[in-house]
């Protein structure tokens, strides 16, 4: 969710913090702020809106220092306004904090601190952190001792960074949401995301839960919440995950949709040995349960079909926010799917699975993420950084890798997938047609997406893309369910997208379309063959039925993207959302 960054070094910190924040803006973009330690004390600059809006508040070039922290916010507690934007300050303004997470006992702490004379200026949960720290620092004048006392009073999830006017070091803590040290030649970073520092260094230390760090220009000290020193390994992170730019494209989302053939090539051509090991491990437990959130959950639903059809493994799929210990036992392999590897719901499910003695396997895009590190075995998606809040290339990459795994387990051959990148390329050639088609639906307030069998996850995913990007209500469902209720919603001109390639379910789905037409629906057909019953038609190439979902979703991504642009929404930064959902 929120992006946090701290830097202490030999270079002017302001541009470094601003650049880092821009890279992490996908984590949240309600408001932004930074605090710089200058000769005149801490300078705190905040604005509502995006990082670029900070420059309208003050000339950032005129503020220089060597220690600073910054924040890009996704609001949980407290409205989106200037008072609630981070950094938040201590009573006298000589300490600042940036926080990601939720402090669940903040009300009790706030009351206690107010009684002791602390003045709160925001309605956030986060502000208690800086007042607690201030209280304990004033007693002992010791930065480590103060942060230890602070974290031991907090409940909930947090990663934070605190800096002081009267002291060079930055202090941070992690409990439930990510915090990473970047060790550079000219200074050190503390961020919620490697994107915050990757341009400067590829040397990282991932803090674990219940660890604090005291960070200086050329030194650091990591301890557990009891204050015991902890030795950590330095990890080399991949540069290729470093500097995503929009290049010639108007939005990251469009770039990432168009990048899919390349992303799929990378999935297909990745090192085979880890995949084989993954397949072997998956089979070592009697039961398989798959979990994920949002788009990753939809990939899990696809996995259920392909595992059953190819690998002859019957799996349960549980959305991560509903994952319970009753869903698993010690003889279960739990497969966790996540682009970011930081989704709080997926991490909570992982913890439940581990506590139950399950084997945890994961498929993750962000190498070095919490999920990748907490799994018994993890496979990377290798599809490159995905910046657009809407998952696009990570979804098709998940499907491709799941297909590869299921086919290896089942028939020992996944060669059919090699044609898929080129087939996706051919669908991207339909982009202009889809862009024009959107003009016929600008008045629509509801969209329905229907499909049968293995195509149902694609109906769900198409609807998710539409609501997330264009803010138009959209629902995906099994075509057979229409007559059990949803048909009542169909009136003259209601748009229905039907995913209907020519496989076993083709005719039945077509029958449903006829029923929809009889009630006035305006149908967009996505199929390998055209039919007069469709008002609009988007052709897709014919491929093996188990691979078809990888192809089908692409026009739906384009449909949602162009609908968003047409309606004047910013597809890269949908309102109220963030790329990485690190709160439960
Ligand atoms: O990083 P994850 O795959 O764990 O994220 C899960 C969901 O938050 C994510 O897929 C979300 O639904 C997307 N914004 C959908 O486009």
């Amino acid at each position: 969710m929120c992006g946090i960054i701290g830097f202490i070094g030999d270079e002017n910190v302001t541009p470094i913090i601003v650049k880092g924040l821009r890279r992490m803006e996908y984590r949240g973009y309600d408001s932004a702020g930074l605090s710089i330690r200058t000769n005149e004390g801490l300078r705190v600059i905040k604005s509502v809106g995006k990082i670029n809006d900070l420059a309208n508040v003050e000339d950032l070039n005129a503020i220089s220092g060597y220690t600073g922290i910054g924040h890009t916010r996704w609001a949980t507690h407290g409205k989106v306004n200037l008072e609630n934007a981070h950094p938040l300050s201590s009573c006298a303004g000589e300490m600042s904090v940036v926080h990601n997470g939720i402090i669940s006992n903040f009300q009790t702490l706030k009351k206690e601190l107010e009684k002791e004379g602390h003045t709160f200026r925001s309605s956030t949960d986060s502000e208690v952190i800086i007042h607690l720290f201030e209280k304990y620092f004033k007693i002992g004048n010791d930065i480590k001792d103060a942060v230890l006392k602070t974290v031991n009073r907090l409940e909930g999830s947090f990663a934070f960074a605190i800096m002081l006017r009267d002291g060079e070091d930055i202090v941070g803590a992690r409990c439930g949401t990510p915090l990473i040290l970047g060790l550079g030649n000219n200074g050190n970073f503390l961020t919620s995301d490697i994107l915050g520092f990757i341009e400067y260094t590829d040397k990282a230390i991932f803090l674990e839960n219940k660890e604090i760090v005291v960070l200086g220009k050329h030194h650091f000290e990591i301890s557990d919440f009891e204050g015991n020193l902890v030795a950590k390994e330095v990890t080399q992170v991949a540069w290729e995950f470093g500097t995503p730019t929009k290049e010639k494209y108007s939005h990251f989302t469009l770039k990432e949709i168009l990048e899919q053939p390349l992303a799929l090539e990378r999935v297909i051509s990745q090192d085979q040995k880890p995949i084989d090991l993954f397949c072997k491990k998956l089979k070592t437990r009697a039961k398989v349960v798959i979990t994920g959130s949002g788009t990753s959950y939809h990939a899990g639903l696809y996995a259920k079909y392909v595992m059953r059809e190819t690998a002859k493994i019957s799996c349960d799929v549980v959305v991560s926010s509903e994952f319970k210990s009753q869903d698993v036992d010690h003889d279960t392999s739990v497969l966790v799917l996540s682009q970011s590897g930081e989704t709080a719901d997926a991490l909570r499910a992982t913890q439940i699975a581990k506590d139950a003695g399950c084997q945890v396997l994961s498929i993750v895009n962000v190498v070095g993420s919490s999920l990748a590190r907490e799994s018994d075995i993890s496979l990377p998606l290798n599809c490159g950084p995905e910046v657009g809040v809407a998952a696009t290339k990570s979804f098709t990459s998940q499907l491709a890798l799941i297909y590869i795994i299921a086919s290896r387990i089942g028939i020992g051959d996944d060669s059919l997938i090699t044609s898929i990148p080129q087939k996706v390329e051919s669908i991207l050639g339909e982009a202009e047609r889809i862009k024009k088609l959107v003009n016929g639906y600008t008045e629509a307030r509801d969209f329905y997406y229907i499909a049968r069998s293995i195509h149902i996850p694609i109906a769900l995913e198409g609807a998710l893309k539409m609501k997330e990007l264009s803010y138009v209500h959209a629902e995906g469902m099994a075509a057979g369910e229409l007559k059990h209720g949803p048909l009542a919603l169909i009136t003259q001109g209601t748009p229905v997208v039907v995913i209907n390639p020519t496989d076993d379910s083709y005719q039945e789905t077509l029958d449903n379309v006829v029923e929809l037409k009889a009630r006035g629906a305006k149908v967009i057909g996505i199929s390998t063959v055209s039919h007069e019953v469709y008002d609009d038609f988007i052709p897709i190439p014919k491929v093996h039925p188990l691979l078809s979902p990888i192809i089908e979703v692409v026009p739906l991504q384009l449909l949602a993207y162009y609908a968003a642009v047409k309606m004047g929404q910013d597809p890269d930064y949908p309102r109220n959302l963030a790329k990485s959902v690190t709160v439960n």
Side-chain angles (χ1 to χ4, degrees):
M1 304 247 101
C2 307
I4 63 176
I5 181 168
F7 176 76
I8 171 165
D10 299 321
E11 289 182 55
N12 180 15
V13 68
T14 311
I16 295 176
I17 297 280
V18 171
K19 228 188 244 179
L21 286 179
R22 279 212 183 94
R23 293 253 171 75
M24 294 190 292
E25 194 162 30
Y26 73 92
R27 298 181 72 94
Y29 33 84
D30 295 337
S31 50
L34 43 88
S35 176
I36 307 293
R37 185 166 174 261
T38 70
N39 292 336
E40 291 83 45
L42 299 186
R43 288 291 306 280
V44 178
I45 301 115
K46 309 202 270 192
S47 75
V48 170
K50 303 244 184 87
I51 312 295
N52 283 345
D53 296 315
L54 284 170
N56 303 330
V57 179
E58 235 173 294
D59 178 9
L60 297 174
N61 297 323
I63 303 165
S64 63
Y66 298 100
T67 312
I69 56 177
H71 191 264
T72 174
R73 181 169 187 240
W74 186 86
T76 55
H77 290 61
K79 282 192 180 141
V80 177
N81 59 30
L82 213 52
E83 291 72 41
N84 292 339
H86 298 211
L88 299 159
S89 303
S90 57
C91 293
E94 79 282 37
M95 300 165 191
S96 302
V97 68
V98 286
H99 165 232
N100 174 29
I102 293 176
I103 308 299
S104 47
N105 62 337
F106 85 100
Q107 270 152 335
T108 319
L109 293 171
K110 189 172 175 175
K111 266 189 209 141
E112 169 192 317
L113 289 157
E114 278 176 335
K115 254 194 212 153
E116 291 171 8
H118 289 260
T119 310
F120 282 73
R121 299 184 192 89
S122 77
S123 47
T124 64
D125 54 330
S126 314
E127 197 178 344
V128 296
I129 301 173
I130 198 63
H131 290 286
L132 273 178
F133 180 83
E134 177 181 34
K135 164 180 164 166
Y136 295 123
F137 186 76
K138 286 203 169 141
I139 297 169
N141 216 28
D142 181 319
I143 190 169
K144 180 175 170 184
D145 184 60
V147 79
L148 283 172
K149 289 200 167 99
T150 301
V151 293
N152 282 300
R153 299 291 314 280
L154 301 175
E155 287 167 20
S157 64
F158 52 86
F160 65 74
I162 290 176
M163 61 181 283
L164 296 83
R165 182 193 62 197
D166 306 320
E168 272 214 332
D169 293 351
I170 294 176
V171 66
R174 171 190 168 141
C175 181
T177 67
L179 194 61
I180 308 163
L181 258 74
L183 306 174
N185 292 333
N186 296 326
N188 291 326
F189 291 83
L190 191 58
T191 66
S192 48
D193 198 312
I194 58 168
L195 290 179
F197 60 74
I198 191 73
E199 187 181 330
Y200 299 92
T201 177
D202 61 350
K203 289 192 191 62
I205 293 180
F206 293 87
L207 289 198
E208 296 300 333
N209 283 337
K210 301 207 167 185
E211 287 182 349
I212 65 152
V213 59
V214 178
L215 187 69
K217 244 188 226 183
H218 302 296
H219 65 271
F220 62 88
E221 187 186 292
I222 298 171
S223 320
D224 61 23
F225 276 13
E226 275 76 54
N228 306 308
L229 292 184
V230 181
K232 305 287 288 187
E233 259 179 41
V234 177
T235 306
Q236 183 131 4
V237 289
W239 283 104
E240 65 199 89
F241 277 83
T243 42
T245 60
K246 278 193 264 190
E247 294 166 15
K248 60 183 182 198
Y249 303 99
S250 42
H251 298 103
F252 278 110
T253 308
L254 180 62
K255 178 181 171 235
E256 287 157 9
I257 291 172
L258 299 180
E259 254 170 25
Q260 288 180 107
L262 192 67
L264 287 164
E265 288 287 5
R266 289 172 63 158
V267 178
I268 295 168
S269 61
Q270 69 174 287
D271 191 0
Q272 304 300 302
K273 276 197 207 112
I275 301 181
D276 287 336
L277 185 63
F278 194 90
C279 295
K280 227 190 226 169
K281 275 214 161 240
L282 188 78
K283 289 188 299 181
T284 56
R285 305 279 171 109
K287 191 171 154 192
V288 177
V289 174
I290 304 173
T291 188
S293 302
T295 293
S296 291
Y297 170 66
H298 296 157
L301 294 175
Y302 165 81
K304 183 181 169 80
Y305 286 95
V306 81
M307 284 286 184
R308 187 180 68 200
E309 296 303 315
T310 312
K312 308 295 174 214
I313 295 177
S314 131
C315 319
D316 286 337
V317 189
V318 184
V319 70
S320 292
S321 55
E322 288 298 320
F323 195 96
K324 304 276 184 303
S325 57
Q326 291 88 330
D327 292 314
V328 291
D329 58 43
H330 70 280
D331 207 9
T332 310
S333 281
V334 175
L335 173 56
V336 191
L337 304 172
S338 174
Q339 187 284 131
S340 62
E342 299 296 351
T343 300
D345 289 327
L347 291 175
R348 193 191 57 92
T350 302
Q351 197 51 54
I352 293 172
K354 285 175 90 166
D355 292 346
C358 306
Q359 168 176 254
V360 175
L361 303 96
S362 64
I363 296 180
V364 180
N365 194 34
V366 180
V367 179
S369 59
S370 304
L371 177 57
R373 288 177 300 114
E374 278 168 31
S375 310
D376 294 304
I377 183 167
S378 185
L379 277 183
L381 278 179
N382 274 335
C383 69
E386 187 177 69
V387 176
V389 166
T392 53
K393 64 177 180 172
S394 65
F395 180 63
T396 44
S397 299
Q398 282 171 329
L399 301 194
L401 194 48
I402 288 163
Y403 174 84
I404 291 170
I405 291 164
S407 306
R408 294 265 175 101
I409 295 175
I411 50 174
D413 177 15
D414 56 29
S415 55
L416 279 179
I417 200 165
T418 51
S419 69
I420 296 300
Q422 189 272 322
K423 305 277 186 202
V424 169
E425 189 75 65
S426 76
I427 298 179
L428 294 172
E430 298 294 328
E432 276 308 306
R433 178 206 291 246
I434 296 169
K435 189 175 176 181
K436 283 198 195 114
L437 184 153
V438 161
N439 294 331
Y441 294 86
T442 46
E443 300 300 311
R445 298 323 313 146
D446 305 282
F447 265 81
Y448 297 94
Y449 291 70
I450 61 158
R452 281 177 182 265
S453 184
I454 196 167
H455 315 291
I456 295 170
I458 304 307
L460 300 176
E461 177 60 10
L464 177 60
K465 291 295 88 110
M466 183 58 89
K467 57 188 137 188
E468 178 179 35
L469 292 180
S470 71
Y471 314 155
V472 171
H473 166 251
E475 249 183 275
M477 67 192 82
E481 287 303 294
L482 277 169
K483 57 187 176 298
H484 298 295
L487 215 45
L489 296 166
I490 305 299
T491 56
Q492 197 58 39
T494 307
V496 180
V497 181
V498 54
I499 300 124
N500 195 22
T502 43
D503 61 15
D504 290 353
S505 57
Y506 176 75
Q507 191 52 51
E508 268 185 312
T509 311
L510 203 62
D511 293 344
N512 295 133
V513 175
V514 174
E515 287 155 18
L516 284 162
K517 288 293 295 176
R519 277 129 188 118
K522 187 172 176 191
V523 177
I524 303 174
I526 315 273
S527 181
T528 42
V529 289
S530 180
H531 194 285
E532 61 192 13
V533 81
Y534 302 136
D535 296 280
D536 281 302
F537 175 65
I538 303 169
I540 51 167
K542 188 158 178 58
V543 295
H544 189 281
L546 295 179
L547 286 165
S548 188
I550 307 177
I551 308 273
E552 294 155 10
V553 74
V554 177
L556 304 186
Q557 296 167 343
L558 287 166
L559 189 69
Y561 169 77
Y562 286 122
V565 173
K566 183 84 197 166
M567 290 171 195
Q569 320 301 5
D570 181 347
D572 285 347
Y573 300 104
R575 70 179 175 214
N576 303 336
L577 300 181
K579 182 72 179 159
S580 183
V581 185
T582 56
V583 291
N584 287 122

